[in-house]
Amino acid sequence: MMNKTQLDYLKKLRQINREVRQDIKTDLVPIVKMFANEYTKQPAGTTTDAIQRTVDGWAEVITNVLARIVERWNSPFRQYQAEQISSDFVKASISDADKRQDVSINLYSGNDRIENYMVAAAQQNARLIKSIPERYLDQVSNIVIGNMRQGMRPSYIESRLTEQFGVSERRAKLIARDQHSKIQGDVSKLRQEAAGIKYFRWLDADDSRVRTSHRRCAHKDVGFGKGVYRWDQLPKNEKGQPIYPGSEINCRCVAVPVPESMVKRTKRR
């Protein structure tokens, strides 16, 4: 289940997605329908050269229409919009992380690191937001041009465009879930390290969606206690890369700080 920060963010991503879809419906689909007779059938005896000239004619028009839509979504206003949405989301996500953080941690320690992280996270997140219309329109171009070349009717092309809108909607939802979890995990790591906490317990979401590898991390004992690790000795994924709660795509695990005294008692036992 998404929290308020995620839902607000997803709402804005979906609004972008739907505005792109409206541009496609308004500017592109009517042109596809206008050229239907040219690309769906050719009179008997039409030469190859004549067919190619026809294809080149509508292909140029369609490409120009798509280029104008892409340019609109690359405008300074749209770039600023993405950066503003990103900045607000990152701030809200960090605030969520602080509310969830263990009370024994000084939330204001390591402020410089958090400030630097906030800037970097906002830039990365803005690129993801900008990629939504970019990737959506790239797929639309492939669908329209490819199917027109194959002589498919406008109704079929529209059905494929509807499918692609669904793909883009699901990607927006994935971004909203993943980015919030990632920021939570990153901030938790930064806060605990800045507070001098060396150990954390890997706590999974305890449901069917938990990765097998992450469930293993939550139950494995490497000598510090069940699911307990050092921040400077992180477990590794299947690719041999160090991981921590929230660092992998769509990970909902959390890092719970563990006092060094507890680890020492565990070692004595």
Side-chain angles (χ1 to χ4, degrees):
M1 183 180 295
M2 289 188 168
N3 68 3
K4 184 179 183 302
T5 298
Q6 290 171 301
L7 290 171
D8 288 347
Y9 182 53
L10 177 58
K11 183 179 179 181
K12 292 172 183 176
L13 297 187
R14 282 180 166 167
Q15 181 61 33
I16 290 173
N17 213 35
R18 288 165 190 181
E19 287 180 24
V20 176
R21 179 180 62 170
Q22 189 56 50
D23 283 351
I24 293 166
K25 283 185 173 181
T26 302
D27 296 358
L28 184 61
V29 172
I31 303 299
V32 173
K33 292 178 177 178
M34 183 178 75
F35 282 105
N37 287 334
E38 293 187 25
Y39 70 82
T40 57
K41 55 188 176 183
Q42 292 292 338
T46 304
T47 66
T48 302
D49 287 345
I51 293 174
Q52 188 59 51
R53 282 196 300 274
T54 300
V55 170
D56 289 343
W58 60 251
E60 183 178 359
V61 174
I62 293 294
T63 300
N64 289 339
V65 171
L66 282 165
R68 286 198 296 273
I69 298 175
V70 169
E71 183 179 6
R72 192 178 305 154
W73 281 96
N74 284 332
S75 68
F77 168 74
R78 291 299 184 182
Q79 301 296 304
Y80 172 78
Q81 180 190 43
E83 290 163 6
Q84 192 61 52
I85 292 172
S86 174
S87 177
D88 292 344
F89 170 67
V90 170
K91 289 176 183 175
S93 296
I94 290 177
S95 177
D96 288 347
D98 285 346
K99 290 173 186 174
R100 194 181 68 179
Q101 192 65 270
D102 188 277
V103 294
S104 65
I105 296 177
N106 178 6
L107 297 181
Y108 299 98
S109 65
N111 274 345
D112 288 345
R113 293 184 69 190
I114 294 296
E115 287 292 332
N116 292 336
Y117 173 79
M118 187 182 297
V119 172
Q123 291 174 345
Q124 180 185 34
N125 194 257
R127 286 196 293 271
L128 280 173
I129 296 172
K130 295 170 187 177
S131 77
I132 291 176
E134 179 182 304
R135 186 175 296 191
Y136 186 6
L137 289 168
D138 186 54
Q139 292 302 313
V140 165
S141 176
N142 293 335
I143 289 169
V144 173
I145 299 294
N147 283 287
M148 287 178 75
R149 287 186 183 280
Q150 293 177 41
M152 306 304 292
R153 299 201 64 80
S155 57
Y156 176 79
I157 294 174
E158 284 188 275
S159 69
R160 291 293 312 282
L161 291 176
T162 299
E163 291 173 8
Q164 188 56 46
F165 172 72
V167 171
S168 194
E169 284 280 275
R170 289 190 291 275
R171 181 168 179 265
K173 188 173 183 179
L174 173 63
I175 289 173
R177 284 186 182 280
D178 174 62
Q179 287 298 294
H180 187 266
S181 296
K182 181 171 177 55
I183 291 171
Q184 298 278 291
D186 289 348
V187 170
S188 181
K189 181 176 185 293
L190 288 172
R191 293 291 196 209
Q192 291 183 37
E193 288 180 330
I197 294 174
K198 297 179 180 179
Y199 301 90
F200 70 93
R201 174 172 285 107
W202 189 302
L203 193 65
D204 65 33
D206 194 27
D207 59 31
S208 59
R209 290 188 292 154
V210 175
R211 289 176 174 87
T212 301
S213 58
H214 290 195
R215 183 174 288 109
R216 191 179 301 119
C217 286
H219 290 83
K220 188 174 182 179
D221 188 339
V222 296
F224 308 130
K226 180 182 175 182
V228 179
Y229 301 89
R230 285 181 62 108
W231 281 113
D232 58 357
Q233 296 176 17
L234 294 171
K236 296 180 180 179
N237 61 15
E238 295 83 352
K239 298 178 181 178
Q241 301 165 328
I243 57 172
Y244 52 90
S247 63
E248 295 197 301
I249 294 176
N250 232 9
C251 173
R252 296 167 297 127
C253 303
V254 296
V256 179
V258 175
E260 195 167 355
S261 59
M262 185 180 295
V263 173
K264 288 179 178 178
R265 285 198 300 271
T266 299
K267 284 183 176 181
R268 285 199 297 269
R269 288 199 300 269

